[in-house]
Amino acid sequence: MSGTASGTTRQEQERSRVTRQKLMTAAIDVLVEKGWAGATMGAIAERAGVSRGACQHHFPTRAALVAAAVEHVFHQQIEELVRRASGLPESRRRVEPLLNLLHDVYAGPLFTAATHLWVAAGADAELKALLLPLETHVGREVHRLTVELLGLDERDRDVRDAVRATLDLLRGLALANLLHDDTARRRKVLAHWARTLEAQLTPKRAAQAD
């Protein structure tokens, strides 16, 4: 009897997990297509193929749902970034392709969805309260990962400043790409910044190796 009950509990937990994932994926899709105003609980539930009641059972408010969705998709993208970065060359030629990989994180649907949320949070106290700690977490994680993938020492102030400037540049390029395809200009900018960054950071790597 206990085995049957245990099996039923596992099935329920799996169904719950699948439903939550469907809702979070749908939340990002609807945000990208319709913005914050159009990303109602009803619209998200319909896109996910679940009832509104089921949606509210898992996420009592849409602010809680979209914040969870952003964090969920962000971690998926970070895992994909690490996987793709593992195939990059361990040489000077690594910086530019790494910048392009990081740009993919900022220029994808998650960034578009997050931009809608960041703007909406200016006039929505509940949403702002949920997003502020998430923004801090995401920013720190991307910064840490960038330092790690570049093979640098976070304790060096120049390294921290260079990485912050790099991430600010990537966010700016991603914003420019929201209205029109800016691929050609982006490639030139990132190629130039990669040369600048490499020239600045090569002595740092050499010092670390000594």
Side-chain angles (χ1 to χ4, degrees), residues 96-115:
E96 186 176 347
L98 178 57
L99 292 183
N100 281 289
L101 287 184
L102 287 166
H103 178 267
D104 289 346
V105 172
Y106 284 105
L110 177 61
F111 182 80
T112 303
T115 301

Side-chain angles (χ1 to χ4, degrees), residues 39-155:
T40 63
M41 293 288 268
I44 294 171
E46 182 178 0
R47 178 65 62 89
V50 304
S51 69
R52 179 164 180 160
C55 180
Q56 291 181 314
H57 170 73
H58 290 281
F59 300 98
T61 67
R62 75 170 167 157
L65 169 53
V66 296
V70 168
E71 184 171 16
H72 174 70
V73 176
F74 166 73
H75 285 297
Q76 288 183 325
Q77 289 197 336
I78 290 299
E79 289 175 4
E80 176 66 9
L81 172 63
V82 171
R83 186 190 67 77
R84 292 171 63 187
S86 66
L88 295 180
E90 295 290 343
S91 68
R92 288 176 61 95
R93 294 172 52 241
R94 177 184 179 85
V95 176
E96 186 176 347
L98 178 57
L99 292 183
N100 281 289
L101 287 184
L102 287 166
H103 178 267
D104 289 346
V105 172
Y106 284 105
L110 177 61
F111 182 80
T112 303
T115 301
H116 286 298
L117 295 180
W118 271 220
V119 172
D124 188 318
E126 179 194 2
L127 185 60
K128 184 176 182 178
L130 287 170
L131 289 182
L132 280 176
L134 177 58
E135 165 70 6
T136 300
H137 168 68
V138 168
R140 286 176 178 169
E141 184 63 16
V142 173
H143 182 98
R144 181 199 64 76
L145 184 61
T146 303
V147 171
E148 179 181 312
L149 292 175
L150 287 171
L152 299 169
D153 187 346
E154 165 71 15
R155 295 169 295 180

